[in-house]
Amino acid sequence: MCGFAGFVTSSSKIGREEWIDRLSSAGMAMAHRGPDDQDLWLEPDLRAGLSFRRLAIRDLSESGRQPMESHCERYVIAFNGEIYNHEDLRRELEQTVQVKWRGHSDTETLLTAIACWGPDVALTRLDGMFAFALWDRRDRTMFFARDRFGEKPLYWGLQGGCLYFGSELKAMPELGLCSGDLDEKAIAQFFRYRYIPAPQTIFKGVNKLRAGEVLKARWTEEGLDTELEFYWRSTCEASAVATRKNPADSETVENLLKTSVEGRLNSDVPLGAFLSGGIDSSLTVALARQLDPGLKTYTIRFEDSRFNEADHAMAVARHLETDHHELTVTEQDALACVASLSSVYDEPFADPSQIPTILLCRKAKEHVTVALSGDGGDEFFAGYSRYARILNRWEGRPPAWMRKGYAWASSLPVSGLGKSGEKIFRTFMNGRAETLEEYAQNEVGFWRSGVPVRDIAAGERHLFLSAWPGADDLADFDGIKRQMISDAMVYLPDDLQVKVDRAAMACSLEVRTPFLNQQLARAAWSISTDNHMDPTHGSKSILKQILYRHVPRELVDRPKQGFDVPLREWLRGALKSWGEELLNECDSTIHDIVDVARIRRVWAWHQAGGRREGDLWPALVFLDWWRRWQA
């Protein structure tokens, strides 16, 4: 687990010493991702360079240092993440080529696999979370890749004949990339979804590599030639297993999950697990505890009992006999945490559970350097109750002739609408949806009466995320599975994994997620919706059947409780002064970007007893980010 940054350029106008300074500064900007070691590498002709910060997890010796050169000297890599099956790959490689290993790091295994099979084939063999930059000296190509489920980040931007890249946005200006103008559509999507979907970022000309995507940058006499392609697409993988004659059952899923947990327990540093008391984290901990009798577990306790799962987590921990730790989060803790959000996430990000996630990671880091998480269970095993609710509403939508009128009405300006007018507008927005995916996005979105962002054309106001890889293939699935796959492609990598990665790496903690395994995903997609949501067990039926084998049934059969926070009360309490300061001290330039007056009206509604915290949180986070970006 680490952070890296670098460049590849078609010219060498900048001297060696200046590139060294830039690479060193980029590494320092991400020191939290790798506090244990740092190094950099430059191609002799200065056409490519890499900076690396290391959080030592496997092979703590010098043999695990990066940037690392392959044995054949053709490749140089900067790699962030973990390859869980690297020992199996080593044994396979040893049957093919003679290798005198330097050490036992997964980076060396990855490099050798690439040298032996080529990067495209090697990618298909990896079970892991990763982002890497690979320089091919022979072909003069920089090869970038990101893991299938978007656990590890990679940003890139092309400017002035140079391609800059890094694990975090904050490293890019240190390399020399001018961030440029803000992307108004990305801002609008942020207000709608509370995150910015890949490949966009807050800045024009700066991109995120999408989950399962590869970028190739070739140096030619004419300049840099870039090519993007996917080596993994969730829709294609789901389609391939949808017609299996023998779909996976609970025993198959349990065996796959056990194997995945076992691979993620390999570590040369202390390891623990997050435990909320819900199905996914409880199952992860139950399987991990079988292999690690001294397993440490961590949970969050809220003072507000409506949001508190700590008692459930404690009961599971007692049954499984883990070394359990919990942290109570107060309003004052939330206030102290908001001051760091902009620096932790770089670009605006407003999933409210980011606050307890940051605090939980800090608590775990007091004892361990690696933690297991249960993320992914909901997306792959139909864990969200909204799936059935949204499908029922979609199937009961108005007839086509009426929806045409809704489409026209939703293009009208929304400035000055009162609360009743906004409710009517939301009805128009739902009515205009042409696909289930568009309807679902609107249902789970915010500012559904129109985002308070200037210069967003009416035709874009719904901000439907239609550019997914293989999105057209969703029509082959039933309504529940279509939503599951959509979440796996967008919500999981662009919200959940961003939240966890940045929160964990801000305190130099590695988080591993056993549910994010390609074999397990394929098994989940082979299961029919009726078996995911059967009448006996309800949602996540398969996972419940497995968990019954490890903990008492009464600890499993309870209503689902998400990782929510008492945001409504916080915005009227400890966070009120923070919000009012942001709204009252906006500089004049922000008014050209967002409708601050409208946000202030929503703030007043909320303070008077309305429920607008879902809309207000992204607005306040953006204003806070803007203030810090302008400073």
Side-chain angles (χ1 to χ4, degrees):
M1 183 66 67
C2 311
F4 64 85
F7 71 91
V8 56
T9 182
S10 58
S11 64
S12 54
K13 297 177 182 178
I14 298 174
R16 179 178 179 82
E17 293 305 315
E18 184 173 349
W19 273 127
I20 289 175
D21 289 343
R22 291 187 182 191
L23 290 168
S24 298
S25 296
M28 286 299 298
M30 302 182 296
H32 50 279
R33 294 189 77 93
D36 298 331
D37 193 15
Q38 62 180 326
D39 204 353
L40 57 85
W41 165 87
L42 271 170
E43 185 76 331
D45 63 4
L46 306 182
R47 296 300 175 90
L50 298 168
S51 177
F52 191 77
R53 297 290 310 204
R54 185 185 186 195
L55 176 62
I57 303 294
R58 293 191 188 185
D59 194 347
L60 311 185
S61 72
E62 290 285 313
S63 299
R65 295 193 76 191
Q66 296 185 50
M68 185 181 290
E69 185 180 281
S70 63
H71 292 275
C72 64
E73 301 182 353
R74 175 178 172 179
Y75 299 103
V76 182
I77 197 170
F79 161 64
N80 169 29
E82 298 287 345
I83 306 301
Y84 303 118
N85 64 334
H86 94 95
E87 292 178 352
D88 292 336
L89 294 177
R90 278 202 174 201
R91 285 189 287 269
E92 184 176 348
L93 287 165
E94 288 169 346
Q95 296 175 4
T96 306
V97 294
Q98 290 187 341
V99 184
K100 187 176 181 180
W101 301 105
R102 305 184 187 103
H104 63 276
S105 73
D106 52 349
T107 308
E108 187 180 6
T109 307
L110 173 59
L111 261 179
T112 306
I114 289 170
C116 185
W117 302 325
D120 293 306
V121 174
L123 268 179
T124 66
R125 306 295 306 280
L126 305 180
D127 172 21
M129 56 176 180
F130 54 84
F132 63 79
L134 177 81
W135 176 245
D136 184 340
R137 284 173 165 157
R138 189 190 73 184
D139 292 346
R140 312 293 287 171
T141 299
M142 190 72 83
F143 183 100
F144 305 90
R146 192 175 177 209
D147 63 69
R148 297 167 178 84
F149 306 110
E151 293 183 76
K152 295 292 103 188
L154 183 54
Y155 296 86
W156 66 279
L158 187 60
Q159 190 176 93
C162 187
L163 189 149
Y164 303 93
F165 54 90
S167 298
E168 293 188 4
L169 268 178
K170 60 174 63 72
M172 310 286 271
E174 304 297 332
L175 291 169
L177 177 70
C178 297
S179 55
D181 298 329
L182 300 185
D183 187 328
E184 291 85 358
K185 185 173 181 181
I187 296 171
Q189 288 184 324
F190 166 72
F191 272 81
R192 176 57 50 81
Y193 303 113
R194 303 197 299 199
Y195 60 90
I196 298 175
Q200 290 175 283
T201 71
I202 191 67
F203 299 111
K204 292 180 179 178
V206 183
N207 309 284
K208 291 190 280 272
L209 202 63
R210 289 181 284 189
E213 192 172 34
V214 163
L215 168 65
K216 299 175 183 178
R218 295 182 178 88
W219 179 81
T220 68
E221 294 301 325
E222 291 75 28
L224 280 172
D225 178 43
T226 58
E227 177 186 355
L228 286 164
E229 61 184 13
F230 287 92
Y231 69 92
W232 166 277
R233 298 200 307 184
S234 296
T235 50
C236 293
E237 298 294 331
S239 296
V241 299
T243 57
R244 278 185 181 175
K245 294 183 178 179
N246 297 306
D249 55 18
S250 66
E251 290 186 3
T252 300
V253 171
E254 181 171 12
N255 289 333
L256 288 171
L257 189 54
K258 279 181 177 178
T259 300
S260 186
V261 168
E262 183 176 10
R264 285 150 181 80
L265 287 175
N266 288 327
S267 173
D268 294 335
V269 294
L271 180 147
F274 298 150
L275 177 61
S276 69
I279 293 170
D280 307 332
S281 66
S282 296
L283 183 52
T284 298
V285 168
L287 297 178
R289 172 64 179 77
Q290 294 179 343
L291 300 166
D292 183 359
L295 185 69
K296 293 179 172 63
T297 51
Y298 301 88
T299 195
I300 286 288
R301 178 179 294 276
F302 291 106
E303 292 180 311
D304 190 327
S305 60
R306 294 173 300 166
F307 299 87
N308 185 40
E309 283 192 289
D311 292 337
H312 300 295
M314 178 67 76
V316 173
R318 285 174 177 167
H319 176 78
L320 296 175
E321 298 181 338
T322 67
D323 181 4
H324 193 59
H325 306 261
E326 70 175 40
L327 174 68
T328 300
V329 175
T330 67
E331 286 191 49
Q332 292 304 315
D333 293 324
L335 179 60
C337 192
V338 295
S340 66
L341 293 183
S342 295
S343 60
V344 168
Y345 289 96
D346 279 352
E347 59 181 344
F349 180 80
D351 184 327
S353 62
Q354 64 200 124
I355 291 176
T357 301
I358 290 172
L359 297 173
L360 180 62
C361 288
R362 289 176 183 171
K363 179 65 177 178
K365 181 60 180 179
E366 294 176 2
H367 310 107
V368 300
T369 307
V370 177
L372 301 188
S373 165
D375 284 340
D378 286 320
E379 290 73 26
F380 293 126
F381 292 92
Y384 295 121
S385 59
R386 59 178 162 86
Y387 289 157
R389 182 180 70 250
I390 289 172
L391 181 60
N392 289 335
R393 291 177 180 176
W394 166 252
E395 292 176 342
R397 68 196 187 282
W401 65 267
M402 187 179 295
R403 297 202 301 274
K404 290 181 179 179
Y406 284 174
W408 171 83
S410 65
S411 68
L412 297 175
V414 299
S415 178
L417 287 178
K419 285 182 280 188
S420 297
E422 291 201 353
K423 289 181 180 179
I424 294 172
F425 190 90
R426 286 197 291 271
T427 300
F428 292 156
M429 289 295 296
N430 279 352
R432 69 173 290 168
E434 298 179 356
T435 66
L436 171 61
E437 289 68 48
E438 181 178 348
Y439 186 89
Q441 287 177 29
N442 193 53
E443 279 286 294
V444 302
F446 302 89
W447 292 99
R448 288 184 289 165
S449 55
V451 294
V453 178
R454 309 287 191 189
D455 301 324
I456 294 299
E460 290 185 325
R461 184 161 286 142
H462 65 294
L463 300 171
F464 173 46
L465 306 179
S466 59
W468 304 335
D472 293 342
D473 297 335
L474 288 171
D476 298 335
F477 301 98
D478 65 67
I480 298 294
K481 192 165 286 189
R482 284 168 68 177
Q483 294 178 74
M484 291 166 58
I485 298 169
S486 297
D487 277 346
M489 289 193 295
V490 182
Y491 176 63
L492 179 65
D494 293 339
D495 184 315
L496 298 183
Q497 295 310 302
V498 170
K499 175 184 67 179
V500 173
D501 174 80
R502 308 308 189 275
M505 294 311 297
C507 57
S508 306
L509 177 76
E510 173 174 301
V511 175
R512 300 175 177 178
T513 313
F515 279 101
L516 302 188
N517 167 273
Q518 61 266 36
Q519 298 299 332
L520 190 59
R522 292 187 185 107
W525 288 326
S526 77
I527 299 169
S528 69
T529 296
D530 289 342
N531 285 331
H532 275 303
M533 308 175 71
D534 71 40
T536 302
H537 303 100
S539 62
K540 282 202 282 199
S541 172
I542 296 292
L543 298 187
K544 288 178 182 177
Q545 293 174 48
I546 300 171
L547 190 54
Y548 290 151
R549 302 166 191 160
H550 300 278
V551 302
R553 197 181 184 104
E554 58 269 21
L555 297 182
V556 181
D557 294 337
R558 63 181 184 85
K560 176 179 174 57
Q561 188 171 352
F563 198 28
D564 296 325
V565 300
L567 185 61
R568 185 182 310 156
E569 291 74 16
W570 285 357
L571 291 178
R572 295 173 185 152
L575 297 185
K576 182 177 180 180
S577 59
W578 170 73
E580 290 182 339
E581 178 185 340
L582 291 171
L583 289 167
N584 294 330
E585 298 182 7
C586 297
D587 64 61
S588 58
T589 54
I590 190 65
H591 292 266
D592 295 330
I593 300 174
V594 299
D595 188 346
V596 177
R598 186 167 168 227
I599 297 171
R600 285 172 177 161
R601 288 196 299 272
V602 173
W603 175 264
W605 293 348
H606 183 80
Q607 296 302 326
R611 299 183 176 183
R612 298 301 297 271
E613 67 277 5
D615 291 341
L616 284 170
W617 187 243
L620 295 174
V621 166
F622 179 78
L623 292 176
D624 182 67
W625 177 88
W626 169 267
R627 180 173 63 177
R628 295 176 186 278
W629 180 65
Q630 289 288 91

